[in-house]
Amino acid sequence: MDWLEKFPNIDDDVLRELKKAIDEGFRAFTRAYGDAIESFFDPLQYFLIQSERFMTNTPWPIIMLLIGAIAWFASRNWKIVASALVTLALIGLFDMWDDTMKTISMIFVCTVMSIVVGIPIGVAMSRSDRLQRAINPILDVMQTMPSFVYLIPVVMLLGIGKVPGLIAVVIYAIPPIIRLTNLGIRLVDRDVLEAADAFGSSPWQRLKNVQLPLALPTIMAGINQTIMMALAMVVIASMIGVQGLGQPVLKAIANQYFTLGMFNGLAIVGIAIIFDRVSQAYGLRLQKHRQVIHG
Amino acid sequence: MADRLQHEQAQREAQRQAAHGVGIEIRGLYKLFGPNPSLHIDKARAGMSKTELNEKHGHVIGLRDINITMPAGCVQVVMGLSGSGKSTLIRHINRLIEPTAGQLLVGGTDVLAMNEADLRAFRRHRTAMVFQKFALLPHRNVLENTVYGLEIQGLPRARQVEAAMRWIERVGLKGFEDRYPNQLSGGMQQRVGLARALTNDAPILLMDEAFSALDPLIRIDMQSVLLDLQKEIKKTIVFITHDLDEALRLGDRIAILRDGEVIQQGTGQDIVLRPADDYITKFVKEVNRGRVIKVETIMEAAAGASPSRVTVLAGTLLEEAARRLTESGEQTLHVLDESGKVCGRVDMQRMVAAMVTPAGGH
C-alpha cells in the first residue's frame, strides 16, 4: 500500500538528470548566444540611459512644470494638477527626488515598450480567433507565473542591470494592454464597421479611422493597468539592479528599517496615484463625445 | 503612380456614369445561410421549401431567385416585413454580402467578378449607402463624418471640405458642422448620413431603411428632402422599407419581398390596383388610394373633345383632381396630355369609386 501513502513520483535520479539536462542546455545556450542577445538589446539600453539622464539631470522645477503640464493637457482638471504637484513636492522634501525620477523614467520606458509591442499584438489577436486562442494562455502564464521565476533566465542571459529589469517588468505588465486592445477592437459597433466597408475603406483605413479610435477608451484602460502593474514590479526589479525607489525598500527589508521602507513605499503609491488619475482622466476625456447628450 | 492612374480612371468612369446614370440588374440571385451553402443550392433551385431545407439540411434561405431590373435614375423601392430578406438584398448590390448564386450587373459591369481592389474602387466611386441606425463615426463631428467617403478616396482636403459643405447645407445642417453625432437628434443624424452618402457623388444611392428609425413627422420630412434632391441629382436609388406608404410615396418602381422571394413588382399604382395575392391585398387595403392612382388610369376615352371648365394634366393624382373638381362645383373634368389636347374624361362618381377601397379586396 506504499503507493497510496505517497504519490508515485518519477524516480529521483531521473528527475535530477532531467533538471540538470535542461539547466545545462540553457547554460550552453546562454554561453553561445548571450552576447548576441545582449547587443540586440543595446538600443533599449541606450533609450533607458537617455531617459534616466534626462529625468535626473534636468533641474527639478522644470520637471515639476513638465509633469504639471502633462497632467493639465491630459486631464484639463486643476485638482489633478495640484495634487500631482503637491505629491512631487512632498517626495522632494523627504529627499527621495532622485530615486523617484529614476523610477518614473523606468516606468515611462516600460510603458512605451508595452504600448509599442502590445498594441500590434492586440490588433493581430482581434483579427484572428485562432491567434486569440493561442495567445490567451501565454498571457495567463505571464500574469500568474511568479516573477522571480522568469528573473532567473533573464539574469542568466543578460546579467544584472537595467535591460533585464525592463524585460522582467514588461513581461509582467504587458498582458492588460494586449487583452484590452483585443477586446476594444472586438467590441467596435458592427454597424459603423459596415458603413466603413460600404464606403470602400481598405483594411488599414478601417483600423486607423474606425477600429482604433473607437477602441481607444478601452485601450487607455489597458495602458492605465499596465502602468500600475509596472509600478508594482519596481521593488522586485530592484533585486536585479534597477535603480530607483525599489532599492531603498529592499535595503529596508534586509535591515528592518521600518521608516525608510514606509517613506519609499508611500512615494511609489504617490506616483502610482498621479499616473492613475492622469491617465484615467485622459481616457474619460476621449469618451466625451460618446455620452448621450441628445435623446 | 499606378494607384493615381487607377484613381483617375475610376473618376472618369464615375463622371461618365453620373451623366448617363447607372442601372442595376439582378438575375437569378440566391442566398443561403449555413455552413455549406453551395452544397444545397440545387435543392433550393429545385424548389425545396424554406422549412424543409432548414430542418433537413440546416440551411436557411435568405433570398430565392431574385430578378429585378432597376433602371438608371429611378427610385426602386424594395418593400417587405422583417425577415423578408430586404436588407440582405440591398447588401448584395455593393457585395457587403456574397450571394450563393446568381448575377449582379451594375452599369453593365459584373460586380461578382470583381477582385478585392476593384470592389473597393467600385464602392468608393459608384455606390454610397445610408443606414437604418445612421452608423456615423461617434468620434468625428458632422463635417468629419461627411468627408469620410472622399477622405478614403484620397482627395485633397480642400475639395473634400468644399463638397461636404455643399451637401451639409443642402440637407439643412448648416451651422452644425462642429457638432458630434450624439449632440444631434435622430432626424439630424440621418441628415448627416444622407450628406455623407451624397458627398461621395456616386451614381447609386443605397438606402437601407434609412428613415425607419425616425419619428413619423420627421420621416415624412426626410422623404420630402429626398424627393426634392432626387429631382436634381437623378441618381439610381435603391430604397428599402417596411412601410407601404413610404414605398408608394418614394418609389418609381416597387418590388415586394416575402420570405426571400419577390411576390410582385411594378409601379405603386400597379400594386394598389392589381395586388398579386391576398398578402399584398391585405397591405394595400389601408392605403390612401387617392394619393397613388393617377387620373389617366380611370378616365374614359374622350380624345379630341373640347376641354370643359376644369382640366388637369395626365399624371395628376386623384386626390388633387378631386379637390379641383370640388372647388369648381362641376361634375366632370377633362384630362389633357402633354401637348395640351384632351385625351380623356372623368366624372365625380368614377373618381370617388376609384378612391374607395373595393369591398372584399379584388
Side-chain angles (χ1 to χ4, degrees):
Chain A
M1 291 303 274
D2 198 29
W3 61 272
L4 245 185
E5 311 260 300
K6 187 178 182 302
F7 198 100
N9 61 342
I10 303 173
D11 185 55
D12 281 353
D13 288 338
V14 176
L15 218 50
R16 194 179 311 120
E17 284 306 310
L18 178 72
K19 288 174 189 164
K20 219 168 107 186
I22 295 175
D23 278 350
E24 263 162 24
F26 188 72
R27 224 166 266 147
F29 173 79
T30 311
R31 269 195 294 274
Y33 298 103
D35 288 342
I37 293 175
E38 218 175 312
S39 59
F40 172 77
F41 285 113
D42 271 352
L44 218 53
Q45 173 104 24
Y46 177 79
F47 184 19
L48 276 164
I49 290 172
Q50 288 305 314
S51 159
E52 189 173 308
R53 200 169 285 167
F54 173 79
M55 291 301 285
T56 48
N57 289 358
T58 313
W60 65 266
I62 295 180
I63 294 285
M64 293 264 277
L65 260 173
L66 198 68
I67 291 179
I70 292 172
W72 169 249
F73 283 114
S75 68
R76 301 289 160 97
N77 182 337
W78 279 116
K79 279 188 199 156
I80 289 176
V81 175
S83 48
L85 293 178
V86 168
T87 310
L88 283 176
L90 282 173
I91 285 171
L93 274 177
F94 284 86
D95 194 23
M96 294 180 291
W97 185 266
D98 270 0
D99 282 341
T100 303
M101 288 307 113
K102 285 175 186 160
T103 294
I104 291 180
S105 151
M106 183 76 189
I107 299 301
F108 171 72
V109 178
C110 287
T111 308
V112 170
M113 281 306 297
S114 300
I115 291 172
V116 168
V117 177
I119 288 185
I121 296 178
V123 169
M125 239 171 117
S126 71
R127 303 194 150 205
S128 150
D129 286 339
R130 265 175 68 185
L131 197 62
Q132 177 176 252
R133 276 198 297 277
I135 290 182
N136 258 332
I138 300 177
L139 296 180
D140 292 337
V141 171
M142 285 162 74
Q143 281 187 299
T144 48
M145 178 75 86
S147 19
F148 294 109
V149 175
Y150 54 76
L151 282 182
I152 305 165
V154 170
V155 170
M156 280 171 75
L157 265 178
L158 299 168
I160 286 177
K162 288 187 173 60
V163 173
L166 174 94
I167 292 171
V169 173
V170 169
I171 289 176
Y172 180 73
I174 206 172
I177 196 166
I178 297 178
R179 282 189 211 275
L180 285 165
T181 302
N182 173 37
L183 179 73
I185 291 180
R186 281 174 186 266
L187 287 180
V188 167
D189 188 357
R190 282 178 170 279
D191 292 332
V192 181
L193 274 182
E194 189 181 45
D197 282 340
F199 280 91
S201 310
S202 64
W204 165 244
Q205 286 170 333
R206 212 166 107 113
L207 182 68
K208 173 177 70 106
N209 296 328
V210 184
Q211 290 174 312
L212 282 180
L214 294 192
L216 204 52
T218 315
I219 296 175
M220 273 308 295
I223 293 177
N224 173 282
Q225 284 304 301
T226 290
I227 296 174
M228 294 299 110
M229 289 177 75
L231 269 167
M233 274 292 279
V234 163
V235 176
I236 292 169
S238 71
M239 295 175 71
I240 54 170
V242 173
Q243 293 184 316
L245 291 166
Q247 290 207 322
V249 174
L250 210 61
K251 201 163 109 191
I253 297 170
N255 301 305
Q256 302 184 355
Y257 295 149
F258 169 67
T259 322
L260 179 71
M262 199 62 174
F263 279 177
N264 284 278
L266 283 176
I268 294 176
V269 171
I271 54 175
I273 291 175
I274 297 177
F275 279 136
D276 178 66
R277 295 300 182 274
V278 170
S279 60
Q280 277 205 28
Y282 182 64
L284 212 64
R285 239 161 44 80
L286 287 177
Q287 294 197 68
K288 201 176 61 181
H289 307 307
R290 306 271 184 96
Q291 288 150 11
V292 176
I293 296 169
H294 200 297
Chain B
M1 189 61 211
D3 206 39
R4 186 188 303 163
L5 211 69
Q6 193 188 8
H7 178 79
E8 278 171 10
Q9 244 173 13
Q11 246 183 348
R12 266 200 302 279
E13 176 67 12
Q15 276 162 4
R16 190 187 65 77
Q17 288 176 342
H20 300 90
V22 174
I24 302 169
E25 179 99 27
I26 300 172
R27 288 191 206 136
L29 192 79
Y30 281 83
K31 176 66 187 177
L32 261 63
F33 294 104
N36 200 347
S38 49
L39 206 67
H40 299 287
I41 182 69
D42 289 334
K43 298 188 188 84
R45 276 219 172 93
M48 186 181 271
S49 80
K50 194 171 181 165
T51 35
E52 195 183 349
L53 195 74
N54 191 11
E55 276 167 14
K56 285 196 181 157
H57 305 290
H59 281 63
V60 176
I61 299 183
L63 293 171
R64 187 203 288 269
D65 196 19
I66 306 288
N67 291 286
I68 304 178
T69 303
M70 308 177 180
C74 284
V75 182
Q76 168 77 51
V77 172
V78 177
M79 205 212 93
L81 300 185
S82 50
S84 63
K86 56 192 188 304
S87 286
T88 308
L89 177 58
I90 199 173
R91 278 166 178 69
H92 278 84
I93 295 172
N94 56 1
R95 253 177 83 188
L96 287 173
I97 297 178
E98 296 284 337
T100 309
Q103 262 193 314
L104 173 62
L105 301 173
V106 173
T109 321
D110 185 358
V111 178
L112 300 180
M114 291 178 180
N115 62 26
E116 212 173 304
D118 290 343
L119 182 62
R120 209 143 55 217
F122 169 77
R123 287 173 179 170
R124 284 180 184 179
H125 299 288
R126 292 166 75 182
T127 66
M129 197 161 178
V130 184
F131 298 86
Q132 179 176 11
K133 291 180 194 147
F134 320 137
L136 302 174
L137 295 169
H139 61 291
R140 289 182 170 215
N141 63 22
V142 170
L143 179 64
E144 296 302 322
N145 262 295
T146 312
V147 298
Y148 188 76
L150 299 182
E151 181 188 309
I152 58 174
Q153 288 175 24
L155 248 61
R157 174 78 185 170
R159 282 189 40 207
Q160 293 173 24
V161 174
E162 186 198 323
M165 288 306 289
R166 195 170 66 235
W167 288 111
I168 286 173
E169 192 171 345
R170 193 67 185 75
V171 301
L173 283 177
K174 197 168 195 279
F176 289 91
E177 301 87 9
D178 297 332
R179 303 287 185 91
Y180 285 87
N182 273 333
Q183 296 173 301
L184 302 176
S185 66
M188 286 165 94
Q189 287 189 44
Q190 196 57 303
R191 282 168 196 259
V192 181
L194 193 57
R196 173 174 71 176
L198 291 169
T199 303
N200 229 19
D201 200 23
I204 295 172
L205 192 56
L206 304 172
M207 304 188 71
D208 178 28
E209 297 221 39
F211 305 149
S212 299
L214 307 177
D215 296 334
L217 278 179
I218 296 169
R219 191 185 312 164
I220 288 170
D221 194 35
M222 289 297 285
Q223 289 166 3
S224 309
V225 170
L226 184 67
L227 285 173
D228 274 358
L229 282 170
Q230 173 65 354
K231 277 183 206 144
E232 80 191 55
I233 58 182
K234 296 261 188 292
K235 291 189 189 293
T236 309
I237 300 181
V238 183
F239 195 101
I240 301 292
T241 181
H242 60 249
D243 176 1
L244 186 61
D245 285 320
E246 186 166 70
L248 292 168
R249 179 141 190 247
L250 296 176
D252 296 316
R253 295 177 50 81
I254 299 172
I256 297 183
L257 221 57
R258 185 190 185 189
D259 284 343
E261 290 177 74
V262 174
I263 49 177
Q264 188 173 7
Q265 339 184 20
T267 63
Q269 205 176 222
D270 289 341
I271 284 164
V272 171
L273 291 178
R274 289 177 291 278
D277 61 12
D278 291 347
Y279 178 77
I280 300 177
T281 309
K282 226 162 55 193
F283 261 115
V284 162
K285 227 161 58 186
E286 309 300 329
V287 166
N288 181 346
R289 304 163 78 88
R291 286 190 192 157
V292 179
I293 303 171
K294 294 168 178 161
V295 280
E296 66 267 29
T297 314
I298 61 158
M299 69 187 181
E300 297 168 280
S306 55
S308 64
R309 217 160 60 77
V310 189
T311 57
V312 295
L313 279 174
T316 308
L317 296 175
L318 285 191
E319 193 178 70
E320 173 65 16
R323 183 181 302 124
R324 298 264 290 277
L325 201 56
T326 319
E327 279 165 4
S328 71
E330 296 277 327
Q331 279 304 308
T332 53
L333 56 71
H334 277 112
V335 182
L336 307 179
D337 63 14
E338 285 152 25
S339 57
K341 290 201 195 102
V342 172
C343 59
R345 190 177 88 91
V346 182
D347 62 23
M348 196 59 143
Q349 195 192 354
R350 217 182 167 80
M351 210 155 8
V352 173
M355 282 163 71
V356 178
T357 310
H362 291 73

